């Protein structure tokens, strides 16, 4: 009894230490965002006086609001596109019968082995030829098809009992009705999990939005943060850290609100 209690307390202490290590950079960033430039220059990690004006200056002295809006539009567009296309592709691979289905699925998954760096030049040339550079489309179109999303949805759809498909055929449901009334509601947890994962991934994109754009008309928040370090505000670390915290808030909210879906996705073996 006492041994099990000691093991439980030991695990709690270890997890607490890991939590502190993981949250320490966030708390340090918040502390610096509330400090003045003079206090940071003197090496103080904790603010002498709370400088909430840094957060006001983020939206008044920098185009951070526009960057956030651009990131929201791009991330939302790509997330919706990936969900729709992944569901459609996975449904075809699971519930439709056609020649070379397994071979096509293997070829489709093989695209996951291609490093993104190898796709930059072809994607850039395609966007340039289509005259789409410096648009939301140039940032989002190359990522609408997700091999990982298709694999994840296929794994989820395979959990749907085949008897439900037989019953839907008897009831006269077509593929659209079966997908919307049975398959999607049955696997909605995994779909939401992938949606959250997709949004977080696209929100944190930096390299491709930087390459596909040359001005701030559609540039995302990650590029905006980098520009703050090379402009007049480069020495104002309080302002830069405040902008960083603002850019992190949407991802923290998604992780906090969607943690139960991530847990269920891990439990179901979808996210590995």
């Amino acid at each position: 009894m006492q041994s099990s209690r000691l093991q439980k307390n030991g695990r709690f202490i270890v997890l607490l230490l890991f939590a502190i290590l993981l949250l320490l950079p966030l708390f340090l960033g918040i502390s610096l965002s509330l400090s003045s430039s003079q206090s940071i220059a003197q090496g103080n990690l904790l603010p002498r006086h709370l400088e909430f004006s840094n957060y006001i200056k983020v939206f008044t002295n920098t185009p951070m609001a526009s960057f956030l809006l651009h990131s929201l539009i791009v991330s939302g567009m790509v997330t919706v596109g990936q969900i729709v296309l992944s569901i459609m592709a996975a449904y075809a691979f699971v519930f439709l019968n056609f020649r070379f289905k397994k071979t096509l699925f293997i070829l489709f998954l093989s695209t996951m082995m291609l490093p993104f760096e190898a796709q930059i030049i072809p994607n850039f040339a395609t966007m340039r030829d289509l005259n789409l550079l410096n648009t939301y489309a140039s940032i989002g179109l190359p990522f609408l098809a997700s091999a990982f999303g298709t694999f994840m949805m296929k794994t989820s759809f395979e959990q749907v009992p085949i008897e439900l498909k037989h019953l839907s055929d008897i009831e006269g449901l077509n593929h659209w009705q079966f997908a919307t009334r049975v398959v999607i509601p049955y696997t909605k947890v995994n779909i939401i999990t992938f949606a959250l994962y997709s949004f977080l991934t696209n929100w944190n994109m930096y390299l491709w939005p930087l390459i596909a754009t040359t001005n701030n008309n559609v540039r995302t928040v990650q590029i905006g943060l980098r520009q703050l370090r090379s402009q007049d505000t480069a020495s104002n670390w309080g302002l830069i850290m405040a902008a960083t915290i603002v850019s992190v808030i949407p991802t923290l909210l998604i992780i906090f609100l969607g943690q139960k879906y991530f847990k269920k996705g891990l439990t179901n073996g979808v996210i590995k």
Side-chain angles (χ1 to χ4, degrees):
M1 183 74 175
Q2 186 176 1
S3 177
S4 62
R5 182 177 299 176
L6 289 175
Q7 290 180 353
K8 185 177 180 180
N9 292 337
R11 292 174 183 174
F12 176 78
I13 293 174
V14 172
L15 291 175
L16 181 62
L17 291 176
F18 275 110
I20 292 175
L21 290 175
L22 291 174
L23 293 176
L24 184 60
L26 177 62
F27 289 139
L28 179 61
I30 295 175
S31 175
L32 294 178
S33 70
L34 295 173
S35 303
S36 63
S37 299
Q38 182 180 2
S39 176
I40 296 175
Q42 293 174 353
N44 298 317
L45 297 180
L46 296 177
R48 292 183 176 180
H49 305 285
L50 297 181
E51 295 286 344
F52 292 100
S53 60
N54 287 331
Y55 287 91
I56 299 176
K57 293 177 181 177
V58 166
F59 295 100
T60 57
N61 296 2
T62 71
M64 186 56 60
S66 298
F67 290 137
L68 290 170
L69 178 61
H70 300 162
S71 289
L72 181 62
I73 293 174
V74 172
S75 300
M77 176 184 67
V78 176
T79 299
V80 172
Q82 287 186 348
I83 292 174
V84 173
L85 294 179
S86 297
I87 288 176
M88 294 173 64
Y91 184 92
F93 283 124
V94 175
F95 297 106
L96 300 183
N97 294 318
F98 51 90
R99 296 182 63 185
F100 309 115
K101 181 168 72 172
K102 292 184 178 180
T103 303
L104 289 175
F105 183 68
I106 293 174
L107 291 175
F108 193 75
L109 286 185
S110 66
T111 60
M112 295 176 63
M113 294 185 292
L114 292 175
F116 174 71
E117 289 76 9
Q119 306 173 39
I120 290 179
I121 295 178
N123 286 336
F124 181 84
T126 301
M127 295 299 105
R128 181 196 58 197
D129 294 341
L130 294 175
N131 197 27
L132 291 177
L133 294 179
N134 292 315
T135 64
Y136 294 126
S138 66
I139 304 176
L141 277 178
F143 302 95
L144 288 184
S146 171
F148 170 75
T150 301
F151 172 75
M152 182 175 175
M153 292 298 99
K154 181 178 181 294
T155 304
S156 302
F157 291 174
E158 288 175 341
Q159 300 174 8
V160 178
I162 193 62
E163 290 79 9
L164 294 178
K165 183 67 172 79
H166 298 329
L167 289 175
S168 68
D169 293 337
I170 295 174
E171 292 294 330
L173 299 181
N174 56 34
H175 290 297
W176 171 258
Q177 292 171 328
F178 176 65
T180 55
R181 297 181 185 180
V182 180
V183 177
I184 293 177
Y186 192 90
T187 59
K188 65 179 181 180
V189 172
N190 294 329
I191 294 175
I192 295 175
T193 301
F194 173 64
L196 298 175
Y197 169 83
S198 175
F199 187 89
L200 291 174
T201 301
N202 290 287
W203 181 272
N204 292 316
M205 281 196 305
Y206 173 77
L207 180 58
W208 176 248
L210 178 64
I211 295 174
T213 58
T214 58
N215 54 60
N216 293 337
N217 291 336
V218 294
R219 278 188 163 173
T220 56
V221 68
Q222 306 303 331
I223 303 175
L225 289 176
R226 183 63 183 87
Q227 288 182 346
L228 289 180
R229 296 185 58 183
S230 59
Q231 294 177 349
D232 298 336
T233 57
S235 60
N236 192 344
W237 284 102
L239 176 64
I240 294 175
M241 293 308 302
T244 303
I245 296 301
V246 168
S247 69
V248 170
I249 289 176
T251 60
L252 293 178
L253 289 176
I254 288 177
I255 293 175
F256 178 75
L257 298 176
Q259 59 181 328
K260 66 176 182 179
Y261 296 104
F262 284 121
K263 291 180 181 178
K264 290 180 180 179
L266 288 169
T267 302
N268 296 336
V270 176
I271 299 179
K272 298 182 180 179

